[in-house]
Amino acid sequence: MNVIAFNGSPRKEKWNTVTLLDHALAGAVSAGADTRLVHLYDLNFSGCISCFSCKKISRKEDGVCAVQDDLTPVLDLVRNADALIVGTPVYYGAESAATRALIERLCFPYNRYAKDRKSLFPRRINTALIYTMNVSNDILLEWGYDRHFSITRGALEKCFGPCELLLCTDTLQYGDYDKYESEMFDRDAKFRRHAEVFPQDCRRAFELGARVAASR
Ligand SMILES: Cc1cc2nc3c(=O)[nH]c(=O)nc-3n(C[C@H](O)[C@H](O)[C@H](O)COP(=O)(O)O)c2cc1C
């Protein structure tokens, strides 16, 4: 069982998204999986360039993105993956730019423009999306973030298989709120929540990882 996780935060150490991904992968390991964490911001790659090579009638192989960049070997690994976990901070109500680019390159080659719209990915595998964000659960619903999350979740489900969603809200954004503009935040409440609720989010991530890695 090979589980690949993608960190869509530029912050690679100790921050929200990567910490949840570390816990999810620890959960996957506890279920017997081999795991790999890909930091998207270490890679130089673009989103889909709409070349439609993956839709050519004369294409030699299905499900292959023709763009050659740092994401190419990672997409090759995905072909043999048994589960995928994508973690991202919310930027302007959606995934980070690198995560968005990943989703385009990951999914589009497997999307058929055929009547049955069946995925070209050869198996059904478990997937998961982990979002971390500044806003509270109430505000994410009020601002309609959940509609966007459902669209991305639907894209992964259509291409690969069932997709679990983990939402981590009201995250701690700075280690030292005195050093950065932060008037709009209640910093004490932020630290309290980080101490009390974030460990529960980490536990939920661990359990998600174990479920995603469980053989189907
Ligand atoms: C460019 C940028 C845009 C952001 N936009 C939002 C947003 O629209 N909604 C939100 O709730 N948080 C937003 N945030 C906050 C992050 O989503 C949040 O702090 C997240 O947990 C950071 O993840 P990390 O600690 O893994 O980097 C934004 C942060 C940045 C840097």
Side-chain angles (χ1 to χ4, degrees):
M1 163 70 65
N2 289 312
V3 180
I4 305 180
F6 298 94
N7 174 26
S9 171
R11 303 201 283 185
K12 291 192 290 180
E13 276 165 30
K14 100 182 168 59
W15 282 99
N16 300 285
T17 311
V18 76
T19 302
L20 293 178
L21 285 169
D22 284 342
H23 280 82
L25 290 182
V29 167
S30 78
D34 294 322
T35 62
R36 181 187 288 255
L37 177 60
V38 178
H39 294 289
L40 293 180
Y41 282 85
D42 279 350
L43 308 178
N44 190 4
F45 69 102
S46 76
C48 174
I49 59 165
S50 203
C51 68
F52 294 112
S53 291
C54 62
K55 303 287 173 279
K56 271 200 175 140
I57 307 289
S58 62
R59 65 183 180 265
K60 294 210 165 54
E61 249 187 313
D62 283 336
V64 175
C65 177
V67 178
Q68 294 289 316
D69 58 19
D70 288 357
L71 198 64
T72 307
V74 177
L75 295 177
D76 287 344
L77 290 175
V78 167
R79 297 167 80 75
N80 294 314
D82 300 302
L84 302 175
I85 303 175
V86 178
T88 181
V90 169
Y91 287 176
Y92 293 96
E95 298 81 17
S96 66
T99 309
R100 202 67 217 150
L102 168 75
I103 299 287
E104 292 168 8
R105 297 274 301 281
L106 187 62
C107 294
F108 197 58
Y110 295 117
N111 284 155
R112 293 196 69 203
Y113 277 176
K115 285 227 169 73
D116 67 6
R117 307 200 57 207
K118 209 167 163 274
S119 172
L120 289 168
F121 193 73
R123 309 174 298 288
R124 298 302 279 165
I125 61 172
N126 288 333
T127 65
L129 271 168
I130 298 176
Y131 288 94
T132 75
M133 69 209 84
N134 204 12
V135 297
S136 67
N137 200 55
D138 286 349
I139 292 180
L140 93 81
L141 294 173
E142 191 184 320
W143 291 358
Y145 287 10
D146 53 323
R147 287 198 292 277
H148 179 83
F149 302 158
S150 301
I151 290 169
T152 304
R153 180 187 203 171
L156 288 180
E157 290 198 322
K158 197 166 283 170
C159 274
F160 298 105
C163 180
E164 272 204 52
L165 204 58
L166 192 154
L167 304 181
C168 169
T169 56
D170 202 358
T171 55
L172 189 71
Q173 205 161 4
Y174 306 132
D176 184 349
Y177 277 69
D178 287 334
K179 288 199 178 136
Y180 303 93
E181 203 169 79
S182 56
E183 219 178 282
M184 66 184 266
F185 303 118
D186 177 344
R187 63 183 70 184
D188 292 338
K190 282 279 184 195
F191 279 106
R192 244 189 342 268
R193 185 174 171 93
H194 190 68
E196 287 164 14
V197 179
F198 192 65
Q200 296 169 26
D201 293 332
C202 290
R203 249 191 318 280
R204 290 196 296 135
F206 181 95
E207 287 159 10
L208 172 146
R211 275 193 304 278
V212 161
S215 343
R216 310 183 55 232

